[in-house]
């Protein structure tokens, strides 16, 4: 089925030896690739007799129907396919070759013969090569490889790898994809001892390396090819063109090295010339830049001198204004402290007047109202006291303020130890616009808890919490464990002044005010302060 292509190979090498070395550059035309490829791929050889004469073919075709499915019939079918392949001069002949090869494959599969299935796939791959179907060449060849790997048909397996190489050559695949299958084929031929085909493989490997100007590897594998041709007992004149090819490669390598040396020398001279021109131009540009820089520096020095004088005059004026402003700020702070101090004294005076007024009142409700007013005024007075005593005249330290207000209310109602206070206050400051409403709400809530949450001087606790959450939101909670709110208590329609006051103050700071029963009375105030108000 397979023919020796060695004579075709010799003709090709004679052509390559006479031709220009550059004909094997990486830019080979498709025709050149096909010519080189045909020297290795098993194909028809005009110097060999076909497997049958035409009369024998007719006789064999007539006898096929009488022959049962067997290895003998597979062999006849493959020989007929081979004859039509050898006689390929029309599409019909190629079609007959395909038909007989496919029939042989069908019988091989039915007989579970991996050996002949592999041979059939190999035959089909070569037929697809005649058909120029590059994709199917590789696909069918790889099917042959898959089947023949299970057998001991090493030569056929190697020829299948040759067909894969042929497909890669036809599709101009990368060099690594061309080398891999041909190396595998060479390795298998070495295993089977087929020296002539080993030489063919190494010759093509040498040509591949030569086409990419890798002369060292090209020479190396061409020498190997000659070695195996000699081992195959081929006459020296049969591979004489290959020996001549060695000289061509040597000369090409030498010429390439000379060209590289000459190119490097030219590049070096050009580089030196460019460097000299660049150096000269750089010196001229450097001198010009130096003169420009010196001129700019002198101009900058003169300008800076004039600017410094102007800045010095302006700085003196600014310093005078700063001193004046500083004095004004100090005076303003002093005045604010004095105002807060006087407001605190005036509020204390009002508290004293209200205390004096209670001595002349007989009505208990009136006395109680004056006492509540005293506590409210004291809550505001305490804020003004803390302002003039602190460094910051606009912010109130809330933990200290709540603590002192709590102590004042404890003393005002003389609760001794009947009611215990638990404070949980975060450390932060609040502006005056928030601290006064919060202080008054706190005063009302604690006062109500003391007065109404623990009748008959019963013992109890009041938990006070003021927490700062994320995004400048705050929560004030006053929770006692007293008797709680009456069942009919409505915080939104209650006529009590204290409840109305707390609701109104909460609305002033845009807070949310709640009064609920929770094992006692629980008052909750939630409010948010913009960061700009905290400065």
């Amino acid at each position: 089925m397979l023919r020796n292509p060695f004579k075709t190979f010799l003709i090709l090498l004679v052509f390559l030896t006479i031709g220009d070395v550059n004909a094997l550059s990486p830019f080979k035309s498709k025709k050149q690739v096909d010519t080189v490829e045909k020297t290795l791929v098993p194909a028809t050889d005009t110097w060999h007799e076909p497997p049958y004469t035409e009369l024998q073919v007719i006789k064999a075709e007539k006898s096929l129907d009488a022959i049962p499915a067997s290895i003998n019939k597979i062999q006849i079918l493959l020989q007929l396919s081979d004859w039509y392949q050898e006689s390929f001069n029309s599409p019909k002949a190629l079609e007959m070759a395909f038909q007989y090869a496919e029939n042989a494959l069908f019988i091989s599969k039915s007989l579970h013969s991996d050996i002949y299935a592999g041979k059939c796939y190999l035959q089909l791959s070569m037929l697809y090569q005649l058909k120029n179907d590059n994709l199917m060449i590789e696909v069918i060849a790889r099917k042959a490889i898959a089947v023949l790997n299970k057998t001991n048909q090493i030569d056929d397996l190697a020829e299948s790898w040759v067909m894969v190489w042929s497909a890669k050559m036809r599709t101009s695949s990368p060099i690594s994809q061309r080398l891999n299958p041909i190396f595998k084929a060479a390795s298998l031929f070495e295993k089977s001892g087929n020296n002539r085909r080993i030489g063919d493989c190494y010759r093509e490997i040498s040509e591949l390396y030569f086409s990419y100007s890798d002369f060292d590897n090209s020479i190396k594998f061409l020498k190997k090819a000659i070695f195996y041709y000699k081992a195959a007992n081929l006459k020296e004149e049969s591979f004489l063109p290959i020996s001549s090819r060695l000289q061509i490669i040597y000369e090409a390598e030498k010429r390439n090295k000379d060209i590289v040396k000459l190119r490097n020398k030219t590049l070096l001279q050009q580089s030196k010339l460019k460097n000299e021109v660049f150096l000269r131009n750089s010196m001229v540009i450097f001198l010009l830049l130096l003169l420009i820089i010196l001129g700019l520096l002198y101009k900058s020095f003169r300008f800076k001198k004039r600017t410094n004088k102007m800045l010095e005059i302006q700085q003196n004026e600014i310093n005078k204004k700063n001193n004046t402003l500083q004095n004004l700020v100090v005076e303003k702070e002093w005045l604010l402290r004095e105002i807060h101090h006087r407001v605190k004294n005036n509020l204390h005076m009002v508290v004293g007047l209200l205390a004096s007024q209670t001595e002349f009142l007989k009505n208990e409700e009136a006395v109680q109202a004056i006492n509540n007013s005293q506590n409210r005024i004291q809550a505001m007075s305490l804020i003004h006291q803390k302002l003039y005593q602190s460094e910051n005249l606009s912010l109130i330290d809330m933990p200290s303020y709540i603590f002192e207000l709590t102590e004042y209310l404890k003393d005002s109602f003389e609760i001794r130890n009947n009611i215990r206070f638990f404070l949980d206050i975060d450390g932060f400051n609040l502006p005056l616009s928030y601290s006064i409403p919060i202080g008054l709400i706190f005063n009302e809530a604690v006062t109500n808890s003391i007065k109404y949450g623990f009748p008959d001087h019963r013992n109890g606790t009041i938990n006070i919490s003021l927490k700062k959450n994320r995004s400048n939101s705050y929560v004030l909670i006053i929770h006692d464990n007293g008797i709680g709110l009456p069942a009919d208590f409505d915080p939104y329609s209650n006529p009590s002044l204290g409840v109305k006051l707390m609701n109104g103050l909460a609305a002033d700071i845009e807070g949310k005010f709640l009064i609920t029963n929770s094992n006692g009375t629980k008052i909750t105030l939630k409010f948010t302060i913009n960061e700009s108000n905290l400065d």
Side-chain angles (χ1 to χ4, degrees):
M1 178 182 64
L2 305 178
R3 296 292 180 266
N4 179 10
F6 193 63
K7 291 184 180 180
T8 305
F9 158 67
L10 292 179
I11 294 172
L12 169 69
L13 283 184
V14 170
F15 170 74
L16 293 175
T17 305
I18 297 171
D20 189 0
V21 174
N22 292 330
L24 287 175
S25 67
F27 306 102
K28 290 181 179 180
S29 67
K30 184 179 185 302
K31 182 178 178 181
Q32 289 172 314
V33 171
D34 290 343
T35 305
V36 175
E37 173 196 280
K38 289 176 183 177
T39 64
L40 179 57
V41 176
T44 303
D45 191 333
T46 54
W47 291 275
H48 284 269
E49 292 294 328
Y52 293 125
T53 63
E54 187 173 352
L55 185 61
Q56 289 174 323
V57 168
I58 295 171
K59 184 178 179 181
E61 287 178 331
K62 289 181 178 180
S63 66
L64 281 176
D65 292 336
I67 301 174
S70 62
I71 298 299
N72 184 38
K73 187 170 184 177
I74 295 171
Q75 292 172 342
I76 294 172
L77 287 169
L78 285 176
Q79 284 180 321
L80 288 170
S81 175
D82 202 14
W83 186 88
Y84 278 106
Q85 175 189 350
E86 297 282 349
S87 307
F88 172 56
N89 54 9
S90 67
K92 186 176 180 181
L94 185 58
E95 183 181 347
M96 293 298 296
F98 266 106
Q99 181 180 337
Y100 286 124
E102 288 169 352
N103 289 342
L105 177 61
F106 177 78
I107 297 172
S108 299
K109 287 182 177 180
S110 65
L111 296 176
H112 304 291
S113 173
D114 290 333
I115 293 176
Y116 280 95
K119 291 178 181 292
C120 291
Y121 279 126
L122 180 57
Q123 174 70 7
L124 285 169
S125 178
M126 288 186 288
L127 291 173
Y128 276 114
Q129 180 173 264
L130 291 176
K131 201 174 180 181
N132 290 321
D133 191 340
N134 299 328
L135 176 62
M136 290 303 297
I137 294 173
E138 182 175 356
V139 170
I140 300 302
R142 289 193 179 275
K143 287 185 178 181
I145 291 168
V147 175
L148 291 170
N149 272 327
K150 304 174 185 177
T151 71
N152 59 355
Q153 301 297 305
I154 298 175
D155 273 348
D156 286 342
L157 180 60
E159 297 293 356
S160 300
W161 278 111
V162 170
M163 296 309 299
V164 174
W165 165 82
S166 172
K168 297 296 184 184
M169 289 290 290
R170 285 169 167 264
T171 55
S172 300
S173 299
I175 182 68
S176 59
Q177 294 184 19
R178 301 188 206 181
L179 286 172
N180 185 51
I182 197 67
F183 268 118
K184 287 185 178 180
S187 174
L188 289 167
F189 282 130
E190 286 182 3
K191 189 175 180 181
S192 68
N194 193 336
N195 291 328
R196 187 183 65 185
R197 294 298 279 159
I198 299 169
D200 292 342
C201 290
Y202 283 138
R203 182 194 70 239
E204 291 302 331
I205 292 171
S206 171
E207 287 298 321
L208 277 171
Y209 280 120
F210 181 78
S211 67
Y212 284 87
S213 300
D214 187 348
F215 299 116
D216 290 338
N217 277 322
S218 181
I219 292 171
K220 171 185 172 183
F221 286 103
L222 195 56
K223 287 181 177 179
K224 280 190 174 185
I226 294 173
F227 171 80
Y228 280 104
Y229 282 141
K230 289 180 178 179
N233 297 320
L234 294 180
K235 294 181 180 180
E236 187 171 347
E237 56 269 18
S238 300
F239 55 85
L240 182 60
I242 303 178
S243 302
S244 302
R245 184 72 172 151
L246 276 175
Q247 186 62 32
I248 293 173
I249 297 174
Y250 280 128
E251 291 178 359
E253 183 180 17
K254 182 179 178 182
R255 185 188 309 170
N256 188 61
K257 288 180 179 178
D258 291 341
I259 291 171
V260 171
K261 287 181 181 178
L262 183 60
R263 185 180 301 161
N264 290 338
K265 186 176 179 180
T266 303
L267 290 174
L268 183 61
Q269 290 176 349
Q270 290 177 350
S271 177
K272 287 181 178 179
L273 182 60
K274 287 181 180 179
N275 288 338
E276 290 175 358
V277 173
F278 175 76
L279 184 61
R280 183 187 62 199
N281 293 340
S282 298
M283 290 298 295
V284 172
I285 293 171
F286 175 76
L287 290 174
L288 290 174
L289 289 175
L290 183 61
L291 291 174
I292 292 170
I293 291 170
L294 289 174
L296 292 174
L297 287 174
Y298 177 74
K299 185 177 180 180
S300 176
F301 171 75
R302 294 293 302 273
F303 177 76
K304 187 176 181 181
K305 191 173 180 181
R306 290 195 303 269
T307 304
N308 286 341
K309 288 182 179 180
M310 294 175 62
L311 289 175
E312 187 176 354
I313 295 171
Q314 292 176 358
Q315 186 64 42
N316 290 333
E317 293 178 357
I318 291 171
N319 289 337
K320 290 179 181 179
K321 291 179 180 180
N322 283 340
N323 291 332
T324 303
L325 291 173
Q326 188 67 32
N327 293 333
L328 290 174
V329 170
V330 172
E331 184 179 352
K332 179 184 175 183
E333 288 183 355
W334 181 83
L335 289 173
L336 284 173
R337 290 181 191 279
E338 183 65 21
I339 289 170
H340 286 303
H341 183 62
R342 292 190 181 188
V343 170
K344 176 254 182 185
N345 289 340
N346 291 336
L347 291 174
H348 274 200
M349 186 180 295
V350 173
V351 171
L353 291 172
L354 291 174
S356 300
Q357 185 66 36
T358 57
E359 296 178 4
F360 302 98
L361 296 175
K362 303 299 181 181
N363 189 324
E364 184 65 27
E365 291 184 0
V367 172
Q368 188 64 42
I370 288 178
N371 287 336
N372 290 341
S373 299
Q374 284 180 299
N375 292 338
R376 292 165 185 153
I377 294 170
Q378 179 61 29
M380 293 186 289
S381 172
L382 185 58
I383 285 178
H384 289 283
Q385 178 181 333
K386 297 191 72 63
L387 283 173
Y388 82 77
Q389 289 177 347
S390 66
E391 294 294 329
N392 195 319
L393 295 175
S394 61
L395 296 176
I396 299 297
D397 180 34
M398 294 309 292
S400 172
Y401 173 59
I402 296 296
F403 176 77
E404 291 185 22
L405 191 54
T406 303
E407 292 298 314
Y408 169 77
L409 293 173
K410 287 166 65 177
D411 293 340
S412 296
F413 288 97
E414 298 181 354
I415 59 176
R416 297 185 179 88
N417 294 325
N418 294 339
I419 301 174
R420 301 178 64 189
F421 288 81
F422 295 95
L423 276 67
D424 184 11
I425 313 296
D426 286 349
F428 56 86
N429 298 329
L430 288 181
L432 191 64
S433 58
Y434 284 85
S435 55
I436 289 178
I438 290 170
L440 291 173
I441 292 172
F442 177 85
N443 175 77
E444 294 297 325
V446 174
T447 299
N448 287 340
S449 292
I450 295 172
K451 287 170 61 178
Y452 306 114
F454 307 99
D456 302 325
H457 301 288
R458 68 169 63 180
N459 294 331
T461 60
I462 299 176
N463 293 294
I464 300 166
S465 170
L466 181 55
K467 293 290 183 179
K468 178 181 180 182
N469 300 323
R470 295 178 180 177
S471 303
N472 291 325
S473 62
Y474 301 82
V475 180
L476 171 65
I477 299 174
I478 301 167
H479 186 195
D480 64 56
N481 64 347
I483 61 174
L485 299 170
D488 59 348
F489 181 80
D490 185 359
Y492 300 104
S493 61
N494 192 283
S496 168
L497 175 62
V499 174
K500 288 182 178 180
L501 183 60
M502 286 189 286
N503 274 313
L505 291 169
D508 289 343
I509 60 174
E510 298 180 354
K512 184 178 180 181
F513 179 75
L514 295 173
I515 302 177
T516 57
N517 265 324
S518 177
N519 295 326
T521 303
K522 182 178 181 181
I523 295 176
T524 305
L525 173 64
K526 297 180 180 180
F527 60 96
T528 303
I529 302 178
N530 294 329
E531 292 185 4
S532 58
N533 294 330
L534 295 175
D535 296 337

